[in-house]
Amino acid sequence: MAASVLCRRVPRLRHLPASRKDFTQAQLVPVKPHDERGDDKGKKEVFQPQEVSPQGGYRLYYNPSSYHPSARNSATSPSQTDNGDDEPRLYAQAPSFWQQGNLHSVSCSRHICSSKDRLRALALDKGSEPERPPVSSSHKKATPPDVKVDPRAFLKCRPVYASMTLDLSRRPRPQIGWEEAMSLLQKVTVSKGGMKPPDVSRFLVELSRSHPDNMTLVRSDRRFVALLQDSAEHLRLFTQLQLLEVLQSFVWLDIPSAHAVLGQYEAELSRRADQMSLHQLLFAADLWRCIGRQVPEFLQHLYESVRLNLGQIGVPELVQLLYIMGESRQCSRKLIAPVEKLLMRHVQQLYPEEVGAVCLGLFKSQTSISEGAVTRIIDKAHSLVGEMSDFAMVNVLKYLRFSYLYHTAWLDAIGREVPGRAHAMGVQGLMHVALACSALHYHNDSILLAIAERVPSLVPHCRSKDACKLLWSFGTLGFLPARSPSFYPSLTDALRRKRAEFQRYPEHLLTGLLGLAFVSQFPEDLIEFALSPHFVRLALKSTQMELKKDLFTLDGAVALELPRRSGPRLSRELREEVKEMLWKFAQSDLCLKPEVREAESALQDLLGGEQFVVKRMILPHTRSIDLEVHFDSSGQPIPVNAASHTATLPQDDRASRNPSHQGWERMNLGVTITEQLLAQLTSTTKPTDPLTPTATVKPPPVHGLRSVEGGRLFDTGLDLTADIIKSLAKPCGRDSAPRDSKGTVKLAIQVSSRNHYCYRSQQMLGLPAMKRRQLKLAGYRVVELSHQEWLPLLRKSRAEKLAHLHCKIYNSL
C-alpha cells in the first residue's frame, strides 16, 4: 500500500470532464503560521527611507505590508509583492517581529500611557536615533524585480471603481517642495491652540503633496507630530468627508501601519459605520489596505452593511468587496451565502482581470462556495483565458488549487497558454503554476519544460520559498533531472545561497530537499545541515507538526540511498516517536480500507494462512503500509515472523480476519472458466481451437489451490486438467526476484490508489515513486495491485480475486 500517511486529511480529487464539470465541495484548509511569517520581510518600519521600500514580484501563500506598496513607487512600479501567498494567513493582534524591534514604534512604549505623550515621545526619541543609510542605486540595479505585475489592475476595468478605491498611480498634484512643506509646518506652530477641524484636515492634505523624498523628514518633524496629536483630538469633530480625506493623506504621507494614532481613527470609523454609505465604507477599507493596517473591527461593520444592502451591490462593489476580504484574510460566515448569490448573478458580466481578482479574494479569505458556483467561475475564466494577464491566470489556478478540483477544459487551456507565456513570467508566478499542477497531480510536459527552461535565469530573484516549492512541485510530478540539466542544479545552488533564511523558515529547506529526494537528488552539504542537531532543534521548535514527519522522511531516504554517508542522523528516540505516530494513524485509516483488508484476507487464503502475510510499514519514513509475504528458493511461501508483528496489528482488524477455513472450499460461486480467462491467467495468447478437456486428474497440493470433490475447482462444468493446473500453479515470470543470503524472496504487495499517480497518466507521483525505488534497495520485489484492476475485483467473486492474486504473486517470482 503506498498511500501517504498524513495527519491532516485532504479532500479527494474529483475528475471534471470538459463536457460535464462536476465539482466536489471545496474544503477549508488550516492556515499555516510559518507561511504567515514568510512575507513579513516586506513590513515597513517607522521612519523607513522611501528608497528602501521593497518592490518584489508576486508575493502570493502560503503578509500584510508586503501587500502594501509604497505610495511613492506605485505609479512606476506596481507592487511586486506576492498578493496572495501560498496559503492565506491570519493576522495576529500583537505587534509583529519587526514592530517589536523598532525603537520608534509608539506601540512599544511601556512608560507612557496617553496617546498625546506617546506622540511627543516619538519626536523626542527621534533625535538620538541615527538615520538609516539609503540603499545605493548600484545595489538596487544588481537585483531588479524579475517581472512587474499590477495586483490592482482590475480597478481599470470600470470608471466606478474610482469612487470607492484609491488610485495609487496618481499622487496628489501639484507636489510641493521642502521649503513649502516647512512653511506649512511653521503655520501649524503659529496656529497651535486656535486650529479647527477643517484647518487640521487642510494642513494634513497639503503636507501629503510633499515630494516623496521629503516624506521621512516631514514625518520626523516635531511640528508634524503635534499636528497628528491635534488630529486625534479633533476626531469626533471631523465630518465624514474630512475624516476620509485625512485617512487618504496618511497613505501619501506613508504613516507606519503600527502608528498609535491609527488605532484612534479605526475606532472612530467603526463608531460612524452606520452613518456611512456603502461606497464610503468600501473606500475607507481600501485606504486601510493601502496603509497596510489590519482593521477587523471596522471590517465587521462593512460586512454587516453589505449584508443589509445587497440590492446596492453591482459588479464593481462585489469585486472590490472580495478584494478587501482577500487582503484582510477574513470573511464573515454570514456573508458567504449572499456573496455566492451575488457572484452567480453577475459572473457573466466579469472582465478578465475581475475574474482573477475574484479568485484571489476567495483564495486568500479561504472562502468555500458551492460546486455550481465554482464551476461557473472557472467556466467564465476558461472563456476569457486568452485575454487574462499572467497575474489573473495564476490567481485562477490558486483558487483551483484551494478547491482541489479538476476542471479538464481549464487545465487543457493552461497547457496551451503557459508554454507561450512562461518566458515573460516572474519566478513567483511560475512557482504558483507549478505548485497548482503538483497539488492537482497534473503532469503536463509542455508546462514543466517551459518553466524549467525559464527558471534558471530567474534564480537571483528567487526567495527561499520559491526555490523550495519549485523543487517540491517538480519532484512530486516526477520531472527527472535529465529533462532539463540546469533546472535542479540552479535551484539547489539557490538553496545554498539562501541558507541563512532557513534559520527562520526551516520548513522551506525540508520542502526543497524532499522534492529533490523524490527524483534521487541528494545534495550532501544541505542534507548535512538539515540533519544537524542545531537545525533539528530549530525545526522541532516550529509549531508545524509536519516538520517531524518531514525530518523523518528525509532521514530515512538518506539512510537507504546514501548508505556510506557518515553524517548526522535523527536520534533513535525521535525516529521511534514519529514511527509510532505514523503507525497509529495507519491503523486508524489505511489498514481499515476495504481494498486493503480484502487483499490481506485473500492472500491469507491463497498462501495457506495468516502467518504468511504481514500488514505493516516496511519503510515507515514513506508513510504508508504494505502487505509483506516471503517465499523460499523453491517458490513455496514461508511465515513472515508473524509473532514479531502481531503486537502492532489493530485488535479489531485481527478479529475481523477471515479464518483459513473460509477458503476455496466455500468458493462455489459459479465462475465460468473461459478461453479468454485462461489465456489471461496463464499469460498466453488465446488458443485458436476450442479447449478440449483431457482426463481428470487430482491436482497437486499447491498453497491456496486445493482440489475439491470430483476434481472440480469451480462448479462450472469444466474439469481441471493437468495442463490447466500446471499453468495455474507454476510461476509465470521470467525475471528472478531479489533473494537474501538464505534464498528468501521478499515481496512488498502494494494496494495503490489513483492518488499515487498523475492525473490521466501512469506517471507515479514523487513519494510513491521514491518508496518503490527504496523498497528495491531494501531487497524487496514490489507487486502492485493497481486501483484499475483491484477495485473492480472487489465486486467480483472470491475465485476471481484469488486467481488475480495468484497470477500477480507468481509472475513476480
Side-chain angles (χ1 to χ4, degrees), residues 51-52 134-144:
E51 289 77 10
V52 298
V135 178
S136 66
S137 60
S138 61
H139 175 73
K140 291 201 296 183
K141 290 179 181 178
T143 55

Side-chain angles (χ1 to χ4, degrees), residues 35-245:
D35 279 320
E36 295 174 21
R37 303 190 304 264
D39 289 319
D40 284 345
K41 288 185 280 186
K43 274 205 180 269
K44 177 178 58 178
E45 295 187 23
V46 180
F47 304 135
Q48 179 179 338
Q50 295 295 313
E51 289 77 10
V52 298
S53 178
Q55 300 292 323
Y58 266 81
R59 280 261 159 108
L60 295 162
Y61 209 93
Y62 284 74
N63 300 322
S65 33
S66 297
Y67 308 106
H68 167 46
S70 170
R72 173 194 172 192
N73 294 328
S74 60
T76 58
S77 178
S79 173
Q80 298 296 310
T81 55
D82 192 358
N83 271 279
D85 221 15
D86 306 339
E87 287 286 347
R89 26 174 237 103
L90 299 175
Y91 290 92
Q93 297 300 316
S96 72
F97 171 81
W98 298 107
Q99 293 166 358
Q100 290 170 359
N102 182 357
L103 296 177
H104 294 301
S105 177
V106 179
S107 62
C108 295
S109 175
R110 299 178 181 177
H111 61 283
I112 302 176
C113 298
S114 69
S115 60
K116 175 188 280 191
D117 288 340
R118 285 198 194 101
L119 294 168
R120 287 174 176 165
L122 180 62
L124 293 172
D125 289 345
K126 175 59 186 171
S128 61
E129 178 68 13
E131 191 167 333
R132 187 189 305 269
V135 178
S136 66
S137 60
S138 61
H139 175 73
K140 291 201 296 183
K141 290 179 181 178
T143 55
D146 53 330
V147 171
K148 295 179 180 180
V149 297
D150 186 2
R152 291 166 67 91
F154 70 93
L155 298 180
K156 301 173 184 176
C157 293
R158 304 172 193 268
V160 71
Y161 282 114
S163 66
M164 51 187 166
T165 63
L166 179 64
D167 188 350
L168 293 173
S169 65
R170 297 183 179 181
R171 294 193 65 90
R173 299 288 180 179
Q175 289 187 357
I176 61 175
W178 173 245
E179 294 78 8
E180 293 177 83
M182 289 299 98
S183 175
L184 283 171
L185 290 173
Q186 183 61 33
K187 291 180 182 179
V188 169
T189 302
V190 173
S191 304
K192 182 68 176 174
M195 281 197 298
K196 296 181 180 179
D199 300 323
V200 175
S201 171
R202 177 173 56 82
F203 278 127
L204 286 170
V205 170
E206 290 186 11
L207 285 171
S208 70
R209 291 164 36 217
S210 300
H211 193 279
D213 291 339
N214 299 328
M215 284 301 181
T216 302
L217 296 175
V218 170
R219 291 198 310 270
S220 61
D221 193 284
R222 294 168 184 251
R223 293 166 293 187
F224 179 78
V225 175
L227 181 61
L228 285 182
Q229 173 187 313
D230 286 339
S231 77
E233 292 175 350
H234 288 87
L235 261 178
R236 297 219 167 187
L237 302 177
F238 284 141
T239 65
Q240 292 175 12
L241 180 59
Q242 290 168 348
L243 191 59
L244 292 174
E245 285 179 343

Side-chain angles (χ1 to χ4, degrees), residues 777-792:
L777 290 175
Y780 285 84
R781 168 64 65 93
V782 177
V783 177
E784 180 185 10
L785 300 182
S786 68
H787 60 283
Q788 299 101 323
E789 298 173 353
W790 185 243
L791 292 183

